[in-house]
Amino acid sequence: MRAPLFIAELGAKAMAAVDAETAHHLTIRLLKSGRGPKVRIKNPRLASNVAGLYFPNPLGLAAGFDKNAEAPDAILEMGFGFAEVGAVTPRPQPGNEKPRVFRLRADAAVINRYGFNNDGLEIIADRLRSRPKTGIVGVNLGANKDSEDRAQDYVTGVKALGGFVDFFTVNISSPNTPGLRALQDKAALSELMTQVLTARDETAEGTPVFLKIAPDLTDEDKADIAALAKAMALDGLIISNTTIARPTTLRSAAAQEAGGLSGKPLFAPSTALLREFFAALGPGIPLVGVGGVSSARDTYEKILAGAALVQLYTALIYEGPGLPLRVLKELPGYLDADGFENIAEAVGAAHA
Ligand SMILES: Cc1cc2nc3c(=O)[nH]c(=O)nc-3n(C[C@H](O)[C@H](O)[C@H](O)COP(=O)(O)O)c2cc1C
């Protein structure tokens, strides 16, 4: 385990010297070649069943890192309990013009406006069909920028990938496809989720469908989404995507670039939103907490706020590929300190 981890950590330092998108490509290539970290920690206290699936640990890789499903099993080997690939759109598309991803190093943050660049469903379905299936992999579904029927794009995604993935995420919260977030409005969302769940029942019965929401919702949006999640008995909510807000505390030169902000500045607002949804929904609808997680402490805080599962992305850029291992090693200590036997007992405990 030590040697590959060391090589990968060295790689992380070299990555900091190139632009963010190139570093991203190099990282995927490294993982694809089998030279990523290989973590073998299995602790039954960290395992849990969520939405009918068995997760060996609660820490997952968030969407947007492996957009084209090139290395999901290498990602699981890094220690992640699950991976979410995508976003995938029905047809391949190039995304926005470069540069489109910016490091905000002083803020431990990133701004991206990739705009769903991806290889499209056909190629990605082939990759997912032929993978060795070493653990839980879900797919983040998006809509093509020039689509005339965006709801249909999500249905197409479910139909094409049903049977090859462990869960679907309906991503209507990316800020980088103009108009996409309007699908979070009450009537549009209800129609969309009805179509998606029908497609799921027809082609991939039993595969959970999660809905990923933005952190920039009005109180009315939040109430509508919570009501819909209850009424439709959604399998789970992922809270949250990147934010279009720009906290005044940001210090980096790139802070005013257009796009979605992720990383440390997103931790507090996304955790507050998670807490709000847990308070509204209770433990019946699983919540996945994502936004600014960079340590075991952050992971635990999301769990206490109501997350049954946690995801991260941006912190990998700054902390390196050894981060999942560190989280897995330290998490049991937090359970011990509060007298919890396992993760499931701690979910939402901050509300008690
Ligand atoms: C470069 C980049 C690309 C992303 N692409 C997607 C995407 O395609 N679909 C999606 O739902 N979220 C995407 N996200 C959002 C992440 O999945 C996550 O919700 C967000 O970054 C907050 O987590 P973090 O602070 O740990 O990065 C992307 C984030 C980044 C930084």
Side-chain angles (χ1 to χ4, degrees):
M1 186 172 72
R2 251 167 201 277
L5 191 58
F6 178 61
I7 291 166
E9 294 282 5
L10 256 183
K13 291 213 165 60
M15 298 298 179
V18 296
D19 75 87
E21 184 160 351
T22 305
H24 183 202
H25 285 302
L26 291 172
T27 306
I28 295 280
R29 202 188 296 171
L30 185 98
L31 288 170
K32 262 171 87 171
S33 72
R35 282 175 290 157
K38 306 215 176 345
V39 171
R40 308 236 178 269
I41 286 192
K42 290 247 178 316
N43 183 341
R45 296 178 68 197
L46 300 182
S48 62
N49 286 297
V50 179
L53 298 171
Y54 172 83
F55 290 83
N57 73 66
L59 186 67
L61 181 65
F65 179 84
D66 189 6
K67 282 183 181 283
N68 291 311
E70 294 176 274
D73 293 280
I75 288 163
L76 295 172
E77 283 202 306
M78 290 169 75
F80 285 110
F82 63 110
E84 184 173 329
V85 300
V88 183
T89 56
R91 284 168 290 114
Q93 62 178 30
N96 292 320
E97 262 173 49
K98 297 176 187 175
R100 51 195 180 176
V101 50
F102 306 87
R103 295 190 193 97
L104 279 64
R105 186 169 296 284
D107 303 297
V110 160
I111 290 175
N112 93 83
R113 52 170 181 267
Y114 268 114
F116 289 167
N117 53 310
N118 76 103
D119 292 342
L121 270 179
E122 200 177 318
I123 290 177
I124 288 170
D126 277 345
R127 289 191 189 123
L128 290 168
R129 191 184 293 119
S130 54
R131 63 174 275 261
K133 299 198 175 49
T134 56
I136 294 205
V137 173
V139 68
N140 186 274
L141 298 174
N144 278 114
K145 187 179 178 183
D146 60 359
S147 170
E148 287 184 0
D149 184 349
R150 285 192 167 152
Q152 187 58 38
D153 282 11
Y154 295 89
V155 168
T156 303
V158 169
K159 288 187 173 165
L161 298 177
F164 311 140
V165 291
D166 298 295
F167 66 86
F168 296 105
T169 298
V170 173
N171 170 18
I172 45 168
S173 46
S174 166
N176 300 316
T177 296
L180 189 80
R181 286 169 303 150
L183 287 170
Q184 292 176 126
D185 294 346
K186 192 176 176 181
L189 186 58
S190 164
E191 176 59 30
L192 169 69
M193 292 312 289
T194 302
Q195 289 188 40
V196 166
L197 295 181
T198 304
R200 183 271 310 269
D201 292 343
E202 284 169 9
T203 56
E205 205 186 346
T207 304
V209 175
F210 300 142
L211 176 65
K212 184 164 179 179
I213 63 175
D216 311 306
L217 299 169
T218 64
D219 286 343
E220 194 184 346
D221 292 336
K222 292 180 207 169
D224 288 345
I225 292 171
L228 181 124
K230 260 190 202 163
M232 298 185 92
L234 294 187
D235 297 306
L237 295 176
I238 303 186
I239 305 171
S240 71
N241 214 313
T242 56
T243 179
I244 54 170
R246 293 292 181 269
T248 52
T249 50
L250 295 179
R251 293 184 293 141
S252 306
Q256 299 311 321
E257 288 290 345
L261 173 73
S262 58
K264 224 174 224 354
L266 183 58
F267 183 81
S270 63
T271 307
L273 188 65
L274 170 70
R275 204 175 284 120
E276 263 186 75
F277 270 88
F278 189 87
L281 296 173
I285 295 181
L287 304 179
V288 182
V290 50
V293 170
S294 68
S295 64
R297 167 83 247 169
D298 295 342
T299 304
Y300 189 60
E301 208 171 306
K302 293 272 190 199
I303 291 168
L304 293 178
L309 299 166
V310 176
Q311 292 176 317
L312 60 79
Y313 177 169
T314 301
L316 264 192
I317 297 167
Y318 297 112
E319 303 288 326
L323 176 60
L325 176 60
R326 289 199 289 281
V327 171
L328 297 188
K329 277 185 173 165
E330 292 171 24
L331 209 43
Y334 288 97
L335 294 176
D336 289 341
D338 286 341
F340 295 122
E341 184 44 42
N342 53 46
I343 291 291
E345 281 180 11
V347 174
H351 297 258

